[in-house]
Structures are given as C-alpha cells and as structure tokens.
Amino acid sequence: MTLNHIRRGTGSPLLLVHGLGAGWRSWAPILDDLARHREVIAVDLPGFGQTPPLSGDVSIATLTDSVADFIREQGLDGVSTVGQSMGGRIVLELARRGVGADTVALDPGGFWSPRERAVFAATLRPSIALVRALRGTLPALLGNPVGRTLLLAQLSARPWALSRETVLADVRGLADSPSVGDAMDALTKGPLQQGAPAGTAPGRVTIGWGRRDLVTVPKQADRATRLFPDASLHWFERCGHFPQWDAPREATQLILDRTS
C-alpha cells in the first residue's frame, strides 16, 4: 500500500506521522512553518485521510510496517521522523527497529499503566461517539469558544483560545476516519510500547510532553524515558495532548532543533 501524502518545502526531508484524527492535515498548524526550513513529507496512515484501510490486522505493528514500507518505497532511508500521539508511538517504534534517523515523539501513546489505559479507553471512546453524533453541527460548535471547551477539554489545555480552523479537521477525522475504531483497539487492547536499549536508536530521540495532557498523562514521560534511555525530554508547559494546537511555535522550534 502506498500512503497518501503531501510534500512541501525544500531541504533535508522530515517525515510527519499523525495520531487519531485528520491524517496529514493534523499538522496544518505547523506545516508551513516547518516547510520554510525543510522538505516536509506528511502521510495519511491506513484508514485515515485519503489512504484506504489495511485489509488485514490493524495494530501498531502493522501501521508501523506501512510507514516503514513507505520510507523504503520513497527512497527516504535515513529520514528524520516526527509523530504525535499514536504517531509518536509509531516513530518511536521505527526508532526501536532502527529505521530513520532523528526522532521526535510528541505526547506518544503506549506508556500507560493498566488503570491509565482503562481511563483513556473509557473517556475517549464516548468522546468519539459524541463527535460522530454531532457531525453535522461540528463547524458551528467548534466556532464557539464554549463549544470548543466542552468538546476539546480532554485534548487541549486552552480549547477556548484555539481557532475553529485549527481543530475542525482533526475532530472531523475522529468522526469520519474508517480506522479510528480499529486504531483505538490497537492502543487500548494491544501490547504496550517496547523500548530501545541505550545506543541502539539510529539518531537522536526527543520526547515532548504537555504538562496538562489528559490523554497520555505526564507521569508516563518517566516510563518513556526509562524505555528509551537515550531520549531527551522536553516539557511543553501550558499544553495538552496536541502541541501543534497549544504551542505551535514551540513545537516547530523543537522539531527543527532536534532533527537534521
């Protein structure tokens, strides 16, 4: 399967891998700023955006396989990778496998305790069901600060301060993407993320975490850095689960500083 993708900018290539939501459009708040400095390749994972779903098992392993295959097909061996949420987990898995170069993982999944994972499943699944039920009214609801706050309090530290344009594509993606349910099962029922022993990652590893993340809660950062002992940890202070929403300038600078 060839992943749908976009390319923008010139320079050293940078591969962006999204989480649950809109596919490559999840990176829209920072895409143009990154493309001023680098060639940015942003993919739609299988079952998101314009890439069709996988025909077989949907797991973090098979989603990672699809990205690794894309890297080979596109001649991107040694590309630096950036991911957020589920995408953050996927780029860490690529690093664990020795694929790519520098890695930046923003609020990655896969480091929950059993209780935290149960809470994640019990809270995000109803949220997804709600946005599906409200699909036709999402533009109006997200155009209102009160509506954004009610719908996005789990995802953003300051949802009232965001614009509708920043969040609408991702929220619609939660409602419309055919693989959201399967990906949720992979995150909530599948294996947790394995680590990479010191000295085995193919480049620098940076993990960014929002201090106010209610999806992958901040205490998980300690587990992530224990499993990836070479990783540098960066804290986004007034930030929830989406640094590209809550701290776009800081996220852009971190990515540019920590990849080559």
Side-chain angles (χ1 to χ4, degrees):
M1 175 186 294
T2 298
L3 303 182
N4 180 64
H5 63 283
I6 59 100
R7 287 179 182 248
R8 292 185 187 170
T10 58
S12 179
L14 185 65
L15 181 67
L16 307 183
V17 184
H18 63 86
L20 296 175
W24 72 260
R25 296 182 187 278
S26 182
W27 298 103
I30 63 173
L31 190 61
D32 288 342
D33 287 338
L34 289 172
R36 291 189 182 98
H37 305 274
R38 306 287 290 278
E39 181 188 17
V40 177
I41 305 106
V43 299
D44 288 338
L45 291 170
F48 295 87
Q50 296 181 48
T51 300
L54 293 170
S55 58
D57 179 52
V58 177
S59 65
I60 298 301
T62 57
L63 292 172
T64 305
D65 290 342
S66 73
V67 180
D69 290 344
F70 175 83
I71 290 171
R72 286 190 292 270
E73 291 166 4
Q74 298 293 317
L76 292 170
D77 294 338
V79 69
S80 291
T81 60
V82 180
Q84 183 263 334
S85 191
M86 181 176 70
R89 180 169 180 186
I90 287 171
V91 299
L92 287 175
E93 175 61 15
L94 288 170
R96 189 190 72 81
R97 297 182 185 187
V99 177
D102 295 331
T103 301
V104 177
L106 305 176
D107 297 84
F111 301 102
W112 293 282
S113 69
R115 181 179 180 278
E116 289 162 358
R117 187 151 75 157
V119 170
F120 164 67
T123 54
L124 195 58
R125 287 185 190 278
S127 296
I128 293 170
L130 178 62
V131 298
R132 286 175 174 164
L134 297 173
R135 176 66 175 78
T137 63
L138 287 176
L141 285 171
L142 294 174
N144 182 291
V146 175
R148 286 195 299 277
T149 300
L150 291 173
L151 286 177
L152 304 178
Q154 187 179 8
L155 302 178
S156 170
R158 296 179 296 138
W160 58 88
L162 303 174
S163 70
R164 180 180 71 174
E165 289 69 27
T166 294
V167 301
L168 180 58
D170 267 315
V171 178
R172 277 180 167 165
L174 286 175
D176 296 343
S177 299
S179 289
V180 164
D182 288 338
M184 277 291 294
D185 286 344
L187 290 167
T188 58
K189 300 176 183 179
L192 295 176
Q193 179 61 47
Q194 298 179 56
T200 62
R204 294 174 293 175
V205 177
T206 303
I207 299 176
W209 224 290
R211 290 276 190 193
R212 303 184 187 180
D213 190 342
L214 300 179
V215 176
T216 53
V217 295
K219 68 175 69 174
Q220 294 170 24
D222 182 60
R223 298 174 201 142
T225 52
R226 287 202 305 268
L227 285 169
F228 289 85
D230 290 335
S232 299
L233 179 62
H234 175 87
W235 288 107
F236 294 94
E237 293 299 331
R238 298 183 64 196
C239 184
H241 190 59
F242 281 77
Q244 66 264 43
W245 288 3
D246 289 347
R249 292 182 182 177
E250 186 179 356
T252 298
Q253 195 60 54
L254 178 69
I255 292 166
L256 294 174
D257 287 347
R258 297 298 301 171
T259 60
S260 58

